Amino acid sequence: MTQALPTRKNSGISPFRSTPLTAMGSHTIKVIRRDGSPTSLNIGKIRAVVDWACEGKEVNPIALEAGLTTRLRDGITTREIQDNLINCALEMCSPEEPDWRYVAGRLHIWSLWKDTLVARGYQYGEYERAVKTKVESGQYDERILTYSPEELKEAGSWINSDWDTDYDYAGAVLLTSRYLLRDELPQEALLTCSLLLASVEKPENRLYWARKFYEAIARRKISLATPILANLRVPNGSLTSCFILSIDDSLESIFGELTNAARISKNGGGVGVNVSRIRATGSWVMGKANASGGVIPWIKLLNDTAIAVNQGGRRAGAVTVGVDVWHLDVPEFLEMQTENGDQRRKAYDIFPQLVITDEFMRRVVSKSDWTLVDPYEIREKLGIELAELWGEEFDRAYKLVEENLDKRIVLYKRVNARELFKTIMRSQVETGMPYLAFKDTINRANPNQHDGYIPGVNLCTESFSNVTPNQTAHCCNLVSLNLANLDLDEIEVNSRIAVRILDNTIDITFPPFENAKAHNDRYRTIGVGCMGLADWLAKHQLSYENLTEIGHLFEEIGYWCTYASMDLAKDRGAYEAFPGSEWSRGKLIGAKPVEWFLENAREKERWVTLAEDIQRYGIRNSHITAIAPNTSSSLVQGCTASVLPVYSRFFYDKWAKGTVPIAPPFINEAFWYYPENKNLDQKKVVKAIATMQEWIDTGISMELLFNLNEGVYYPEQPNRALTAKDIFDTLILAWESGCKAIYYIRTVQKDNFKESDDACSSCAN
């Protein structure tokens, strides 16, 4: 069945309106169709498409017609006409008329429909045929043929082509350019993903769950992470978004994990690599003092691996390298991306993260000294592996280390903790990094404390679990609930669908190396996230200061995702490492006791029942929720990214083909309920994230955005600008409030802003 030409409907516009296209004398213009054949310009067809694209939107189609008249010429192609209509719509898009971005999106989709029709001879309506063709050409995984022709025909009947018309221009372009295969339509891609995700279900239930998955995904209530949406249909595609490796202090481990990082990059994943076990600069090698080059040469190898193994030519690999804050090489680590110094010890293409303990933060607050040490010397002389310790156990070991300075420990450096933190802040203001991972907070909330520890965070700081060098590598699959399209009473069903999708994903993915598979088998880590919180708040006329309402929303998400994993365990069994875990001991999200939920939850008793059910039946996934930044995915979903405020209510983003208008979905009806992050006190953001974190068992990607211009945060003091002390207080608040990590630090620079050596001097006050 081909897509019918849209017919003109009564749009409420006067039939006596001006018709600028008619005045052109269209009979004199020849048009070249997409198949290369000529025809006379049919103004009626153009107007029908214009009216269809504008229907239901707060725009005037006459304006689009008028804009097109200046661009028509003899010999123009139908594709050029379509592109001109799109450009006209984009040019008219503004904060006053933001709906033109949807008109441009529909026109882009219309062009895709026509191109597909010309390329293969049909559009929607022949799904079984499309599947067969793509399997034969090697585009589709043969596992889709698990379904019979009759089942594929039934599944094809679920397709609703109208769902293609819900995208704005940014979303339509990203969907078609990044995610669709050659000669593939959007609903075919989403349906095929859904069928493959349901292929591990019992045969009698496969179509039931496939339809549930498809309708949630196609109606943009659940967003699949990029690796799932891009790779699931492709033979041998890796579906995992996040990985973490930990390197031991040996050549075998170093080069083994370098190879694993390359495999991850090849498949398009992002990877975190912790190098805290590797001996420091000046340490011993083969019994020789001052022979080690420290962690920087190995980080440089990771850097070059990320460049060389460039995700199949799509983009450079993405690697974040973590170092614990007590490591002797931390000062050089912080200088690793500056222009000065030995260029052979620079790594400009990795993303640095510092793994920070509570003891360090306490000393920052008290302005006490901090000791940087060599992990090899501590291991050899005191028998302590500092990298694997956290909490009170780390505090005791670190005290023992400091008691042995100059006695048994000779490789160390004493610094002021506040001064070191100021250096970290200065780097963040200049470059946005390092990321900060609060190790003790992360590991206190770890449900698998009986089975190891969490060394650091992933590339986007939201996903992490136990990692053992040379044995297991953290890996996690992600989806997100689109809060812009969900009401509170829809959270239950969509949370349960999201958890089921991700648990199925574990069973159909192809881990890129053995340690990742071992982790999948042992922990079955997943990450149900959220996007569109700013839209949900705006729709309900709330702000980021409504912490009670935010808490209630995320309690629902946390409860139903946890419940769904428990419910799956009844049928499929608990994850392998469940016995002895915090879950098995009756603790819940964040390894918190039931008493916490009785005190803080809105619906208290259901948490007691859930804890009892988990002890009885187990839980399918060790980690269940994690909120990623999902910047690109949110454009496809037509909502704001992640759980952060919008940077600006309306702006143009620079893309390769020009500028693209970006605006939140409810800008027409809720303009003033979208606070702009570039002008928002970041302490409000931190408090909101901390509230959400209580109900999210893994992490949240939290960017902080500081505006350095005068009078932004203090309108009553027009000459006052944000100080380093203000930024310092915000970062301390994040740690004290229980945030697990800080992603990028963004700044809006003053025109005359100059960074100097004393830029953070006020931190000492």
Side-chain angles (χ1 to χ4, degrees):
M1 181 180 72
T2 59
Q3 187 70 30
L5 184 73
T7 56
R8 188 168 191 134
K9 297 181 180 180
N10 183 2
S11 59
I13 299 171
S14 168
F16 304 105
R17 66 182 185 175
S18 168
T19 54
L21 283 172
T22 303
M24 292 192 59
S26 61
H27 62 281
T28 63
I29 296 178
K30 291 294 183 181
V31 175
I32 307 301
R33 296 188 182 101
R34 291 170 195 260
D35 62 5
S37 62
T39 187
S40 297
L41 176 66
N42 187 328
I43 292 174
K45 286 186 177 180
I46 296 177
R47 181 170 293 134
V49 171
V50 167
D51 285 349
W52 168 81
C54 295
E55 186 175 3
K57 300 300 177 184
E58 296 182 19
V59 295
N60 185 349
I62 296 176
L64 187 54
E65 291 181 8
L68 180 63
T69 60
T70 62
R71 294 171 169 83
L72 292 178
R73 55 174 170 74
D74 196 43
I76 194 171
T77 66
T78 55
R79 187 188 306 278
E80 286 179 288
I81 293 174
Q82 199 80 5
D83 289 344
N84 285 336
L85 285 171
I86 290 171
N87 290 333
C88 287
L90 293 176
E91 289 169 5
M92 290 187 288
C93 193
S94 68
E96 292 74 31
E97 291 188 289
D99 277 4
W100 284 112
R101 72 192 194 280
Y102 290 107
V103 175
R106 288 177 177 178
L107 291 169
H108 181 83
I109 291 294
W110 177 257
S111 188
L112 172 70
W113 287 347
K114 288 298 182 183
D115 286 341
T116 305
L117 176 61
V118 170
R120 69 186 197 186
Y122 60 96
Q123 293 178 344
Y124 288 122
E126 298 189 46
Y127 178 67
E128 181 191 350
R129 178 182 175 187
V131 167
K132 181 180 179 181
T133 300
K134 285 182 166 43
V135 170
E136 290 175 349
S137 66
Q139 287 185 287
Y140 272 7
D141 192 318
E142 289 185 353
R143 289 182 293 180
I144 191 65
L145 299 181
T146 299
Y147 296 91
S148 68
E150 293 75 23
E151 288 175 317
L152 291 175
K153 184 175 182 180
E154 180 182 344
S157 70
W158 308 336
I159 285 178
N160 184 343
S161 62
D162 287 345
W163 290 336
D164 280 359
T165 66
D166 293 338
Y167 299 96
D168 69 0
Y169 183 71
V173 169
L174 273 178
L175 177 68
T176 56
S177 63
R178 182 172 297 184
Y179 298 109
L180 297 187
L181 303 177
R182 186 180 69 254
D183 301 332
E184 183 184 44
L185 294 171
Q187 298 306 312
E188 293 172 348
L190 301 182
L191 178 57
T192 305
C193 286
S194 302
L195 287 165
L196 286 167
L197 288 166
S199 64
V200 297
E201 299 284 348
K202 295 175 181 177
E204 62 270 23
N205 294 330
R206 286 186 317 194
L207 286 185
Y208 170 83
W209 284 112
R211 185 164 191 172
K212 290 284 188 183
F213 296 166
Y214 169 65
E215 291 182 351
I217 296 166
R219 296 172 67 191
R220 298 194 296 177
K221 294 180 183 293
I222 294 176
S223 170
L224 301 177
T226 291
I228 301 177
L229 184 53
N231 298 336
L232 177 56
R233 310 181 304 289
V234 178
N236 302 314
S238 177
L239 313 181
T240 305
S241 297
C242 311
F243 296 84
I244 301 175
L245 311 174
S246 184
I247 299 181
D248 220 340
D249 189 32
S250 70
L251 284 177
E252 293 76 16
S253 179
I254 290 168
F255 283 99
E257 299 300 355
L258 273 170
T259 301
N260 288 337
R263 291 186 178 118
I264 293 167
S265 184
K266 174 184 175 181
N267 287 278
V271 58
V273 183
N274 188 274
V275 298
S276 299
R277 294 169 181 253
I278 297 178
R279 65 195 71 191
T281 305
S283 186
W284 286 263
V285 176
M286 300 176 66
K288 298 178 182 179
N290 201 32
S292 172
V295 299
I296 302 301
W298 307 119
I299 294 174
K300 186 170 175 58
L301 282 180
L302 284 164
N303 182 97
D304 295 343
T305 299
I307 296 172
V309 189
N310 59 355
Q311 301 190 5
R314 290 174 291 178
R315 55 184 177 180
V319 178
T320 175
V321 178
V323 176
D324 282 63
V325 74
W326 46 260
H327 199 287
L328 189 61
D329 285 344
V330 161
E332 188 177 12
F333 180 76
L334 291 173
E335 296 293 323
M336 190 172 53
Q337 297 187 322
T338 61
E339 296 294 337
N340 57 300
D342 186 352
Q343 291 300 303
R344 294 171 299 179
R345 294 179 67 85
K346 300 294 179 180
Y348 296 110
D349 300 285
I350 58 96
F351 300 84
Q353 66 169 273
L354 272 181
V355 182
I356 292 179
T357 62
D358 284 352
E359 179 60 20
F360 173 74
M361 294 303 294
R362 288 191 289 265
R363 296 193 190 190
V364 169
V365 172
S366 65
K367 306 178 189 177
S368 303
D369 283 347
W370 181 250
T371 307
L372 305 176
V373 295
D374 169 32
Y376 175 81
E377 187 180 30
I378 304 303
R379 187 164 53 241
E380 291 296 308
K381 295 184 177 180
L382 297 180
I384 297 172
E385 184 62 82
L386 274 181
E388 66 185 26
L389 303 182
W390 59 274
E392 294 180 359
E393 192 174 358
F394 172 84
D395 296 343
R396 289 192 296 269
Y398 195 71
K399 181 180 179 181
L400 179 62
V401 168
E402 293 192 309
E403 288 173 351
N404 279 276
L405 298 180
D406 293 324
K407 299 175 186 176
R408 302 174 66 186
I409 305 303
V410 296
L411 274 177
Y412 71 89
K413 182 178 182 180
R414 296 285 282 176
V415 297
N416 181 274
R418 179 75 68 96
E419 291 300 316
L420 179 57
F421 198 75
K422 286 161 56 178
T423 302
I424 295 167
M425 285 177 52
R426 187 177 293 112
S427 176
Q428 289 176 317
V429 170
E430 290 177 346
T431 70
M433 296 172 286
Y435 309 150
L436 302 183
F438 298 119
K439 187 175 185 179
D440 292 353
T441 306
I442 287 169
N443 278 281
R444 274 194 298 271
N446 179 13
N448 299 311
Q449 298 171 25
H450 68 303
D451 201 45
Y453 77 104
I454 300 172
V457 296
N458 71 314
L459 181 66
C460 299
T461 75
E462 89 286 3
S463 179
F464 33 82
S465 62
N466 289 0
V467 178
T468 303
N470 314 315
Q471 295 182 36
T472 59
H474 165 83
C475 49
C476 183
N477 307 305
L478 305 175
V479 300
S480 293
L481 302 174
N482 185 348
L483 298 177
N485 294 338
L486 290 174
D487 293 323
L488 203 57
D489 60 3
E490 296 179 282
I491 295 296
E492 175 187 351
V493 64
N494 285 281
S495 294
R496 298 182 72 167
I497 290 172
V499 169
R500 197 174 195 103
I501 284 174
L502 288 180
D503 192 64
N504 289 359
T505 300
I506 293 172
D507 293 325
I508 60 176
T509 191
F510 296 94
F513 56 101
E514 187 58 36
N515 292 353
K517 183 180 185 305
H519 185 281
N520 261 348
D521 292 343
R522 185 154 184 79
Y523 299 112
R524 301 191 69 87
T525 301
I526 63 173
V528 177
C530 299
M531 58 176 69
L533 175 63
D535 309 312
W536 189 89
L537 292 172
K539 184 167 60 174
H540 294 87
Q541 300 186 356
L542 299 170
S543 77
Y544 279 81
E545 295 181 79
N546 291 106
L547 299 182
T548 299
E549 289 80 1
I550 291 172
H552 290 165
L553 171 62
F554 281 87
E555 178 184 345
E556 288 298 299
I557 294 168
Y559 175 80
W560 286 113
C561 287
T562 307
Y563 179 93
S565 187
M566 178 277 299
D567 200 38
L568 279 177
K570 292 179 182 179
D571 183 46
R572 301 178 176 181
Y575 70 94
E576 184 180 298
F578 173 76
S581 68
E582 302 302 297
W583 294 113
S584 72
R585 298 169 58 200
K587 294 186 178 182
L588 293 168
I589 294 171
K592 296 191 291 286
V594 170
E595 289 74 18
W596 185 92
F597 295 87
L598 288 173
E599 183 178 345
N600 294 279
R602 182 170 66 166
E603 295 189 38
K604 305 179 187 303
E605 292 305 320
R606 65 178 178 175
W607 291 97
V608 177
T609 303
L610 180 58
E612 293 171 349
D613 285 344
I614 290 173
Q615 287 182 288
R616 181 180 301 112
Y617 303 112
I619 196 164
R620 184 66 172 163
N621 315 98
S622 68
H623 289 75
I624 304 162
T625 50
I627 300 179
N630 46 52
T631 306
S632 297
S633 298
S634 66
L635 292 176
V636 176
Q637 290 292 307
C639 66
T640 54
S642 191
V643 292
L644 296 175
V646 295
Y647 173 78
S648 182
R649 297 184 186 98
F650 183 95
F651 66 96
Y652 280 94
D653 199 3
K654 292 183 179 180
W655 287 11
K657 294 185 178 180
T659 56
V660 177
I662 307 293
F666 307 129
I667 187 174
N668 287 339
E669 58 266 40
F671 184 88
W672 294 111
Y673 287 97
Y674 280 105
E676 295 188 323
N677 205 16
K678 62 185 178 183
N679 301 321
L680 188 64
D681 182 352
Q682 295 300 286
K683 291 187 179 69
K684 295 178 182 178
V685 175
V686 167
K687 291 176 182 178
I689 295 292
T691 299
M692 300 173 218
Q693 185 65 78
E694 293 175 339
W695 308 101
I696 299 297
D697 61 13
T698 318
I700 301 173
S701 292
M702 178 176 68
E703 289 187 8
L704 295 176
L705 177 64
F706 297 103
N707 194 321
L708 303 180
N709 291 289
E710 296 173 347
V712 173
Y713 302 112
Y714 313 100
E716 70 284 356
Q717 303 178 53
N719 295 323
R720 182 182 172 186
L722 199 70
T723 66
K725 178 65 163 58
D726 297 318
I727 298 176
F728 173 84
D729 289 343
T730 305
L731 300 185
I732 294 296
L733 177 65
W735 166 63
E736 291 176 337
S737 302
C739 297
K740 293 182 178 178
I742 297 174
Y743 194 26
Y744 287 105
I745 297 294
R746 309 286 192 185
T747 56
V748 179
Q749 299 283 354
K750 295 195 302 183
D751 292 338
N752 62 346
F753 182 76
K754 295 288 189 295
E755 191 64 54
S756 62
D757 290 340
D758 60 352
C760 290
S761 59
S762 60
C763 290
N765 297 327

